[in-house]
Amino acid sequence: MKVLDACFVTSAVDARGIPADGIPHVALVGRSNVGKSTVINALTRRPLARTSAAAGKTRLANLYRLTLEGGPGGIGRWSVYLADLPGYGYARGGDDSVAELAKVSESYFAGGTAYRVAGVLHLVDARHPGLASDAEAADWLDATGLMRRVVATKIDKLSRAERARNLGELERKLGMPALPISARGGEGLDDLWRLIANLSRQQ
Ligand code: GDP
């Protein structure tokens, strides 16, 4: 996958602030600190997203527009927005986390016909496969009816044995196999690009 262009477009505070230009969105959702900003920077090879940004932001979504070439099936030039939604999990306890996710993301997912959310990447920390907040977020995302895929971040931090055990547990808890990635070492990033390409071509 060749990244022809990648830029930060806007930090939308409500759904009206999101450009309605027909380019599909792939949303990134996950607990705060799961590594969303780092993944965006690793995918684009540009320092677009601020890592470890302050918690408790009021924004709805940070939007990054990518122009790409190639991908599965040899598609030519294509564009996608990565929509980085606020991380959940500041509050303790699963219910609070999901209420928080719902509150901050609802108006984005309910954006109507102005823009098309092609799918959601649910990022989870590979070191913590058993979190109730992630399982509840997965249920909440499924209720939106959108295509959800699970991405396990920071896989470089696990030993081989932990990796097998944690990926197994994630699959049981979240209902599908997780794609293991490391923004640091680069593992899985090509597969993640393919996933984004496939999601963005969903109708
Ligand atoms: P965000 O809150 O989801 O945007 O999380 P950040 O991207 O700011 O990452 C949180 C922390 O995890 C930072 O200290 C990153 O350096 C670290 N981190 C993110 N991705 C990886 C990874 O793939 N491997 C390792 N070892 N650390 C990572």
Side-chain angles (χ1 to χ4, degrees):
M1 193 81 61
K2 194 167 164 198
V3 183
L4 299 178
D5 188 38
C7 60
F8 168 73
V9 176
T10 188
S11 188
V13 291
D14 59 32
R16 282 167 306 177
I18 293 176
D21 55 8
I23 297 174
H25 290 214
V26 170
L28 275 70
V29 170
R31 285 172 62 84
S32 65
N33 260 340
V34 72
K36 279 189 287 134
S37 309
T38 309
V39 167
I40 291 167
N41 292 341
L43 282 172
T44 59
R45 298 200 193 93
R46 291 160 172 80
L48 291 181
R50 234 182 324 140
T51 57
S52 300
K57 295 149 281 192
T58 52
R59 65 180 172 81
L60 174 62
N62 284 333
L63 286 188
Y64 303 89
R65 188 180 54 236
L66 314 184
T67 309
L68 305 143
E69 197 167 67
I75 48 177
R77 186 178 284 215
W78 56 288
S79 296
V80 65
Y81 281 112
L82 293 183
D84 176 18
L85 299 179
Y88 56 86
Y90 305 122
R92 291 206 161 267
D95 288 346
D96 290 345
S97 289
V98 173
E100 216 179 313
L101 172 67
K103 200 169 110 198
V104 295
S105 308
E106 212 152 42
S107 63
Y108 170 78
F109 287 119
T113 53
Y115 53 90
R116 183 170 72 86
V117 184
V120 185
L121 297 176
H122 186 196
L123 273 61
V124 295
D125 191 322
R127 295 170 300 175
H128 308 298
L131 297 176
S133 59
D134 283 335
E136 286 161 12
D139 289 343
W140 187 86
L141 289 167
D142 283 345
T144 67
L146 290 166
M147 188 79 75
R148 169 176 65 93
R149 293 288 180 262
V150 180
V151 176
T153 63
K154 311 186 190 181
I155 198 73
D156 56 282
K157 293 204 172 186
L158 270 58
S159 70
R160 202 191 288 204
E162 287 169 330
R163 175 189 172 112
R165 189 174 60 229
N166 290 10
L167 288 174
E169 187 174 352
L170 278 173
E171 179 167 356
R172 282 192 301 281
K173 291 259 162 65
L174 302 178
M176 67 182 76
L179 172 66
I181 66 159
S182 166
R184 200 152 282 175
E187 180 184 343
L189 294 181
D190 287 344
D191 290 326
L192 184 54
W193 269 128
R194 271 189 283 279
L195 195 54
I196 292 168
N198 285 330
L199 283 175
S200 68
R201 290 158 78 196
Q202 301 279 336
Q203 287 309 311

